[in-house]
Amino acid sequence: MEKLVEYFKPTNYQLSLQINKHQETLRGTCIITGEQLAPVIKLHAVGLKVTSVSVNEKPIAFRQEFGLLVIDLGDGAISDLPFSGSIFSRENTIGSDPVTTGVATGAREGKTESATTTIEIKYHTRLNRNMQGAYLSTYQHAGAEERIVTTQFESHYARECFPCIDEPAAKATFDLKITTPDLDDEVISNMPIKESKIVEHPTVDIDLNISGTAKKKIVTFEQTPKMSTYLLAFVMGRFHKKTIKSDSGLPVTTYCALNQDPKTLNFANQIAADAIEYYNSKFGVKYPLPKLDQVALPDFEAGAMENWGLVTYRESCLLADDNSPLDSKEGIAITITHELSHQWFGNLVTMKWWDDLWLNESFATVMSYICTDAIHPEYHIWQDFFTSECLAALTRDAYPGVQAVKQEVNDPAEIATLFDASIVYAKGAHLMFMLIRLMGKRQFFAGIKKYFKDYQYKNTVGDDLWASLQPHADFDVREFMDTWISQPGYPVITDGVQQRFLITGGTDESTWPLPEIKDDMSGHYLINLSGTEFADALGSFKNLKEEQRYRLLIDRLLLSETSLVSAASLLDLLQAFKDEKDKTIWDLLSTIINKLKIFCPYGSPEYNNYQKFVYSIIRSNLDRLGIKPKSSDKINDVKLRPTILAYALYSKDQLTIDNLSNRYNSDYKKLDAETRYAVLAAKLETTIEEIFDEYVSAYSDTAEPDLRADLLAAFSDVERPTTVKKVLKLLESPEIVRPQDHIYLFAYLVRNHATKDQALDWLYTHWDYVKDLTGEKTLDDYIRISARVIRTKAEADKYFTFFDPLSNEPAFTRSIAVAHQEINARLHWLDLDEKAVSTRLADLTQG
């Protein structure tokens, strides 16, 4: 794929932006200094209307085509230049055509070898509303609309804000100046403010006569370190904020919108301050910026973004107070520590190209658990790593066609598809965990210190990391790790022999270098125990170590989806855990319970039998825990109760439903946050869904992230036809369900038997609407989430009739190919085990 850094290597950007958030416009002057490497300079410029270009202070001809700004410095007119790869364009430019050519008077200069070249570009564009590039985020406060301007430049969206070489290897420094008419707005960026001033300027009337004066704020920031374009960021708006200092004196400031409670900033501030100190001690290079800001945004596509010195977050991933659920606080801690590890892994040292994205994300994921465990050992956060990250990785990685951790990129459209949470994040983190266990933690961090010392402010590839670690390992790191990183899949070990595990059945010739096979969670593989071995291990389950327990259940779950182990045996496995009290074990039991639902469709005899069966599994814990908090509760009890209550609701235990409903309070903040969803869901059922409108109204009015999440989950689980029509309309109501949350609403609806078919049909007929509504990275999720609920050939035929024609688009090719494998494997699983599951379920529930 064409790399524009081969034409021109930037060293500095002077970026002056005039932003009017009310008119939703951005006007810019971008001065780029760097080294010219070819007679033609190509810059990324998507959706920007360029009005003039000068090179070394001389006007020059230019052309805009297919998301590129082309400047030909050779003699004569601009030629028809070859373009390789696919380049995005955007339709929201101000009066721009797909191809724009500007020719100014002035001499053309040929390239002077090794000379510094300065390019000045004037342009304008509109602010986005799809949560990428420079975009607008809005919310209601005190009866009025508040507007925030913010950015999301990763992976390749800086080009939608200013002309640039939008590639990781094109590192440069940035001098940013922002002008705004909103004098009360906070204006923040990666670096501290160098100067902020308010100036008066003349205004003109419709006849262009001076009619008066107005004021504007001009904010100039200190120059950034050398960094990639995707790490530049700025935020403008009115906020609550709180500042603390870390132990080494670093100012840490967290911001939230005016409709949020300032008390929710304290937790995030402290986690960040503690994490920075931990990383300072482990990485050998101190955090190099003079401040750290964190901003919670009402509209944000991902969970968070590691912009250097200005980390942006979805509100639910940053804001918490003393009343927030424990799981929410732990999740926020993991998110913050993940993003702050990126200040080193990704920001200080950056991958050379996107195929090595794992150098950022795999390390940030494993480091987030290491750091969170160090600063909050009471969270026992490694349990979540094993039962969430590792299980997700093993599940996704079992399909043919899935991407490798290191994945080649041949088209710009493929970049957004790399961010597969189960592979680049979870699998990569599991592989790094395996490496740490092999090397030893102390030796590993010794190598990491060398890595940061040698490559700070530079770009790297995987081999650079392996070389830094090698002096501290007693095995060949590169030889061992390259196959794991570059090859998809993993082995199943049977009697000491490996073969690739495929959920579709069969295998291939792939092999992996194996560490010593242990029955803990160190390795990215499965262990296929014989029936006798498994029975013996299950019989001594209480005597097994923590990781051995997780390994036993995870391996059995995945093996049961093939012909190696009968799915019906999972019913007997679940019965063995009727009295299990450990929340982490229950996380795995929940996965098994939910997997088996595929055999028990709504309205079938199996559905009713399965409700009875699930109730028999939870009954002991339901009696023990009850429906409300107790003073004697341990942390494990507090976290397990919501799981047990959710299955009581699924089982239609009327006594529990009535008791939960009686705890309802229309002042939702008075409800216990841990059990609030169960109360809301029970009340919805006992009122025959008449309270639906009240829930939607409360969802629309409240700003509190956890409450919004509970309300969304509750009002999506409806069954009555009149209410189903109402909830389906919310798929096209962005004024109620924000675009960032649309994917969650859709996921709830396709998992609800009463709305599944209609929600899928809606997606098939509204794909263009979804593309306009959400960012590029989220589109992949609709394909995956839809695939997970397909359970009949008719559903599969309809799914592929719609999606297969899209498989020629590079952004969707892989996800659709994997969906074929996933759906066919599920249909085969049903054919293989449906009768056995039905028979065993009837045996276990008769009488």
Side-chain angles (χ1 to χ4, degrees):
M1 190 172 76
E2 184 179 49
K3 306 287 178 61
L4 301 195
V5 73
E6 296 172 0
Y7 295 85
F8 180 79
K9 186 175 182 179
T11 57
N12 174 262
Y13 291 81
Q14 294 181 50
L15 192 57
S16 177
L17 305 178
Q18 299 178 49
I19 300 175
N20 190 313
K21 66 184 183 183
H22 308 287
Q23 298 176 1
E24 302 183 24
T25 58
L26 182 153
R27 293 184 177 273
T29 300
C30 181
I31 301 174
I32 313 173
T33 303
E35 181 184 1
Q36 182 187 338
L37 303 175
V40 174
I41 295 174
K42 298 182 183 183
L43 302 175
H44 295 107
V46 172
L48 309 180
K49 173 63 176 177
V50 175
T51 56
S52 70
V53 176
S54 64
V55 176
N56 295 335
E57 300 184 346
K58 294 183 179 182
I60 197 73
F62 64 90
R63 182 175 70 183
Q64 284 188 264
E65 187 170 62
F66 305 117
L68 292 182
L69 172 61
V70 183
I71 306 166
D72 188 347
L73 300 177
D75 294 330
I78 294 180
S79 59
D80 292 329
L81 298 169
F83 293 90
S84 61
S86 301
I87 307 297
F88 293 117
S89 61
R90 198 178 82 211
E91 299 300 325
N92 67 341
T93 57
I94 303 175
S96 65
D97 297 317
V99 179
T100 302
T101 302
V103 181
T105 58
R108 292 180 179 274
E109 300 286 342
K111 175 181 178 290
T112 302
E113 292 299 330
S114 301
T116 296
T117 299
T118 299
I119 309 168
E120 181 173 343
I121 306 158
K122 295 185 183 295
Y123 67 97
H124 54 83
T125 188
R126 296 194 64 83
L127 297 174
N128 285 342
R129 281 182 173 263
N130 64 348
M131 297 175 289
Q132 65 189 40
Y135 71 91
L136 191 67
S137 175
T138 65
Y139 65 96
Q140 294 293 315
H141 174 65
E145 183 183 70
E146 288 284 336
R147 292 190 160 204
I148 297 170
V149 177
T150 186
T151 58
Q152 173 61 38
F153 290 163
E154 190 183 35
S155 51
H156 55 298
Y157 309 122
R159 64 190 70 183
E160 298 186 17
C161 180
F162 62 98
C164 56
I165 306 291
D166 202 9
E167 298 167 358
K171 284 194 170 187
T173 57
F174 294 82
D175 292 280
L176 176 64
K177 179 170 69 176
I178 292 177
T179 302
T180 173
D182 296 287
L183 307 184
D184 294 334
D185 276 5
E186 295 262 9
V187 184
I188 50 182
S189 186
N190 307 77
M191 297 296 288
I193 293 174
K194 182 178 181 179
E195 179 186 50
S196 180
K197 61 184 178 181
I198 296 175
V199 300
E200 287 191 352
H201 62 95
T203 59
V204 296
D205 59 24
I206 194 170
D207 297 318
L208 301 181
N209 297 315
I210 295 177
S211 58
T213 61
K215 294 181 178 180
K216 59 185 177 183
K217 179 192 287 187
I218 303 175
V219 182
T220 305
F221 295 92
E222 300 282 355
Q223 186 178 89
T224 72
K226 187 179 177 183
M227 66 186 194
S228 303
T229 49
Y230 78 87
L231 296 171
L232 185 67
F234 56 84
V235 179
M236 299 166 45
R238 299 199 302 158
F239 299 98
H240 296 304
K241 65 178 180 179
K242 288 191 177 183
T243 301
I244 65 172
K245 286 191 176 182
S246 71
D247 289 347
S248 61
L250 179 74
V252 177
T253 304
T254 303
Y255 299 77
C256 67
L258 297 178
N259 62 347
Q260 298 290 351
D261 188 338
K263 293 196 300 290
T264 61
L265 300 172
N266 298 329
F267 180 75
N269 259 347
Q270 193 59 57
I271 292 288
D274 293 344
I276 285 290
E277 295 303 313
Y278 179 80
Y279 291 140
N280 278 342
S281 70
K282 290 296 182 182
F283 292 159
V285 176
K286 300 292 186 184
Y287 175 77
L289 274 63
K291 58 91 177 175
L292 171 66
D293 292 335
Q294 304 184 111
V295 185
L297 295 165
D299 298 287
F300 198 82
E301 184 185 12
M305 175 59 206
E306 66 267 20
N307 315 298
W308 214 353
L310 175 56
V311 186
T312 47
Y313 297 81
R314 179 182 287 247
E315 289 175 329
S316 61
C317 292
L318 189 67
L319 305 179
D321 59 21
D322 292 341
N323 297 318
S324 297
L326 293 175
D327 283 345
S328 293
K329 288 184 176 181
E330 292 174 8
I332 288 169
I334 284 292
T335 302
I336 292 173
T337 53
H338 179 107
E339 301 309 320
L340 296 192
S341 73
H342 272 313
Q343 307 302 296
W344 287 264
F345 286 106
N347 299 7
L348 182 68
V349 182
T350 312
M351 74 267 158
K352 189 171 291 185
W353 184 241
W354 294 106
D355 54 358
D356 276 314
L357 176 65
W358 65 274
L359 283 171
N360 289 15
E361 301 302 347
S362 301
F363 272 93
T365 301
V366 76
M367 285 307 309
S368 68
Y369 286 90
I370 292 173
C371 178
T372 300
D373 184 58
I375 64 179
H376 279 289
E378 74 278 11
Y379 288 175
H380 302 290
I381 205 68
W382 283 112
Q383 296 176 346
D384 292 334
F385 179 78
F386 300 134
T387 61
S388 178
E389 306 281 3
C390 294
L391 176 57
L394 289 164
T395 301
R396 180 76 174 167
D397 206 24
Y399 293 105
V402 73
Q403 73 181 62
V405 173
K406 177 184 172 69
Q407 183 67 43
E408 186 176 351
V409 178
N410 296 308
D411 190 286
E414 294 178 349
I415 296 174
T417 71
L418 294 177
F419 293 79
D420 187 328
S422 297
I423 301 298
V424 174
Y425 292 72
K427 178 184 177 180
H430 197 191
L431 297 182
M432 294 309 108
F433 179 79
M434 178 171 66
L435 177 60
I436 292 168
R437 286 233 165 138
L438 285 172
M439 291 183 64
K441 200 170 180 180
R442 186 173 65 179
Q443 290 80 2
F444 173 80
F445 276 114
I448 290 300
K449 288 178 179 179
K450 175 176 171 55
Y451 179 68
F452 287 133
K453 180 181 178 182
D454 290 349
Y455 295 107
Q456 54 188 312
Y457 305 108
K458 298 178 182 177
N459 295 89
T460 60
V461 295
D463 284 351
D464 298 320
L465 176 63
W466 306 146
S468 296
L469 294 173
Q470 187 57 61
H472 307 278
D474 57 6
F475 60 95
D476 190 319
V477 176
R478 176 182 174 182
E479 182 179 352
F480 181 80
M481 291 301 297
D482 267 358
T483 302
W484 285 102
I485 292 294
S486 302
Q487 183 170 281
Y490 59 88
V492 56
I493 314 298
T494 305
D495 295 329
V497 178
Q498 66 162 299
Q499 63 177 11
R500 184 177 181 182
F501 177 75
L502 291 170
I503 210 83
T504 53
T507 187
D508 61 25
E509 300 302 315
S510 301
T511 59
W512 291 262
L514 292 174
E516 178 186 353
I517 301 301
K518 297 181 179 180
D519 60 352
D520 60 13
M521 291 302 296
S522 296
H524 189 69
Y525 48 71
L526 302 182
I527 300 174
N528 182 22
L529 299 177
S530 67
T532 301
E533 290 172 328
F534 180 78
D536 290 345
L538 192 62
S540 60
F541 192 81
K542 296 295 183 182
N543 298 323
L544 298 179
K545 295 179 181 179
E546 187 177 80
E547 290 184 36
Q548 291 176 312
R549 297 180 182 185
Y550 306 151
R551 166 65 67 188
L552 188 69
L553 293 176
I554 289 172
D555 289 2
R556 198 66 171 181
L557 168 61
L558 289 166
L559 291 168
S560 73
E561 294 187 56
T562 71
S563 59
L564 294 172
V565 172
S566 169
S569 70
L570 295 178
L571 295 169
D572 296 289
L573 175 65
L574 288 170
Q575 276 212 316
F577 290 90
K578 284 184 176 182
D579 299 320
E580 178 61 52
K581 299 177 182 179
D582 185 274
K583 165 62 166 57
T584 311
I585 296 298
W586 261 99
D587 288 341
L588 296 174
L589 298 178
S590 295
T591 302
I592 296 172
I593 290 172
N594 293 337
K595 283 278 189 180
L596 288 172
K597 287 180 181 179
I598 197 73
F599 295 100
C600 309
Y602 179 77
S604 67
E606 288 78 15
Y607 182 85
N608 295 330
N609 285 340
Y610 198 53
Q611 285 179 307
K612 296 176 186 176
F613 175 76
V614 170
Y615 182 72
S616 73
I617 300 301
I618 66 164
R619 177 65 184 272
S620 173
N621 275 301
L622 184 62
D623 291 343
R624 179 179 68 87
L625 295 171
I627 65 169
K628 59 184 179 180
K630 301 175 182 177
S631 59
S632 59
D633 280 344
K634 299 177 181 178
I635 290 178
N636 182 82
D637 296 331
V638 172
K639 295 172 71 174
L640 177 59
R641 184 176 287 111
T643 300
I644 299 302
L645 292 179
Y647 285 121
L649 292 170
Y650 170 79
S651 303
K652 299 297 184 184
D653 175 38
Q654 197 59 49
L655 179 61
T656 300
I657 292 171
D658 290 341
N659 288 338
L660 285 169
S661 180
N662 290 336
R663 292 187 59 78
Y664 175 78
N665 189 320
S666 59
D667 184 353
Y668 302 119
K669 292 184 178 179
K670 292 184 179 179
L671 296 173
D672 168 56
E674 301 286 353
T675 58
R676 183 171 52 207
Y677 164 74
V679 170
L680 294 172
K683 186 66 174 179
L684 186 72
E685 182 158 339
T686 58
T687 60
I688 319 178
E689 301 179 7
E690 291 176 358
I691 205 169
F692 174 87
D693 291 337
E694 182 179 320
Y695 284 6
V696 174
S697 178
Y699 174 83
S700 182
D701 291 342
T702 188
E704 199 270 300
D706 288 316
L707 175 56
R708 285 176 60 84
D710 287 342
L711 286 164
L712 181 64
F715 69 63
S716 299
D717 192 22
V718 294
E719 297 181 358
R720 295 172 62 83
T722 54
T723 324
V724 165
K725 288 182 180 179
K726 290 181 179 180
V727 76
L728 288 168
K729 286 182 180 179
L730 295 179
L731 287 168
E732 296 179 70
S733 303
E735 73 282 2
I736 298 175
V737 179
R738 290 182 173 276
Q740 67 168 11
D741 297 322
H742 188 272
I743 185 67
Y744 298 110
L745 172 63
F746 177 76
Y748 287 135
L749 294 181
V750 295
R751 290 201 294 261
N752 177 354
H753 67 85
T755 54
K756 170 186 163 181
D757 291 342
Q758 294 175 76
L760 287 172
D761 287 342
W762 180 91
L763 181 68
Y764 302 152
T765 56
H766 291 77
W767 184 250
D768 288 340
Y769 173 85
V770 173
K771 287 175 68 175
D772 291 337
L773 183 74
T774 65
E776 287 180 348
K777 294 177 185 176
T778 304
L779 284 173
D780 229 22
D781 293 334
Y782 287 89
I783 298 172
R784 295 178 196 176
I785 288 170
S786 301
R788 290 174 191 160
V789 300
I790 302 298
R791 70 169 309 277
T792 68
K793 186 178 184 304
E795 291 174 353
D797 289 344
K798 184 180 286 190
Y799 178 94
F800 291 122
T801 297
F802 175 75
F803 279 117
D804 279 355
L806 301 179
S807 62
N808 291 328
E809 298 183 34
F812 308 132
T813 301
R814 186 181 302 112
S815 56
I816 293 172
V818 175
H820 268 277
Q821 300 292 343
E822 179 182 353
I823 290 171
N824 290 336
R826 187 178 304 116
L827 296 181
H828 177 68
W829 192 32
L830 282 164
D831 288 342
L832 188 68
D833 282 344
E834 189 168 24
K835 184 175 180 180
V837 170
S838 176
T839 300
R840 186 58 183 146
L841 191 57
D843 291 343
L844 292 170
T845 56
Q846 62 184 354

